[in-house]
Amino acid sequence: MNITDALKRPWFHSIDLGSGVVTRGRFGADVPPNYTLYGLQDLLRHVDLREARCVDVGTMDGLSAFMMKALGAREVVACDLARRPTFEFARERLGLDVEYRVPLCANELPEAVGEEGADVIVIAGVLYHVYDPLTVLMSCRRALRRGGLLFLETTSMIDDGRPTMWFNLSDDVP
């Protein structure tokens, strides 16, 4: 795929591909790109990832996976339920050695990561897409080595005093 064709595809993240080429991402021009991940990105910049084994669960276009690799992670595994040509294009364009495992369900993570476990797991924008978020968190915990870090990003709702679970079937659902 060439750059012109790649930029015509729908991108979930805004990714700087170098040489002045930046993908649009899912937000309109009136919303800052990747604003939902600002906190995560800031936290990751303050963690020493050199020699770390990292996993990005629900990677989409790979923004968090690529950031961890660029910050010096020894190994980065990016996983998702479906293959995205945008991830593969960005990985090649950026020249980053990030392993891509698809399809991979979060409950398969402990077996996929193996006994060594992961030093860092990022799970951003995933929990509100699953029927059983607790099982996903338990799988991430089992895949994390002792002393490892789990970075969780999700949406929240203003508490109206009632127990609530919100399930978002797709990105097109408000």
Side-chain angles (χ1 to χ4, degrees):
M1 173 178 3
N2 63 42
I3 190 72
T4 303
D5 292 337
L7 292 176
K8 288 179 185 175
R9 290 182 172 272
W11 287 77
F12 190 79
H13 297 117
S14 176
I15 299 177
D16 185 341
L17 299 173
S19 302
V21 178
V22 179
T23 64
R24 194 179 66 171
R26 71 189 186 277
F27 299 115
D30 58 332
V31 177
N34 305 318
Y35 82 96
T36 60
L37 296 177
Y38 284 177
L40 169 68
Q41 291 174 327
D42 187 49
L43 285 171
L44 284 173
R45 284 185 192 96
H46 291 89
V47 174
D48 184 1
L49 294 179
R50 290 173 298 172
E51 298 306 312
R53 187 172 193 223
C54 302
V55 178
D56 182 16
V57 178
T59 195
M60 296 297 284
D61 298 324
L63 180 67
S64 297
F66 301 147
M67 181 177 185
M68 289 188 286
K69 189 64 178 180
L71 288 171
R74 168 178 51 95
E75 178 183 356
V76 178
V77 175
C79 58
D80 214 319
L81 290 176
R83 183 168 300 281
R84 293 181 63 93
T86 50
F87 175 97
E88 293 170 323
F89 180 83
R91 176 179 60 179
E92 182 179 329
R93 171 98 180 184
L94 295 170
L96 295 173
D97 180 20
V98 173
E99 186 178 346
Y100 193 34
R101 295 193 193 172
V102 288
L104 184 72
C105 295
N107 62 352
E108 300 169 319
L109 197 56
E111 293 76 24
V113 171
E115 287 185 30
E116 179 185 354
D119 298 296
V120 174
I121 295 178
V122 169
I123 180 168
V126 172
L127 288 188
Y128 48 87
H129 292 289
V130 299
Y131 286 111
D132 188 356
L134 186 55
T135 298
V136 171
L137 289 173
M138 288 170 36
S139 293
C140 287
R141 177 60 191 104
R142 287 193 345 261
L144 199 60
R145 72 159 178 80
R146 185 179 205 83
L149 297 171
L150 173 68
F151 290 94
L152 171 67
E153 183 278 330
T154 192
T155 190
S156 61
M157 295 170 54
I158 296 173
D159 184 10
D160 66 358
R162 299 177 301 165
T164 305
M165 179 180 231
W166 178 36
F167 180 71
N168 185 355
L169 293 172
S170 74
D171 295 322
D172 296 327
V173 176

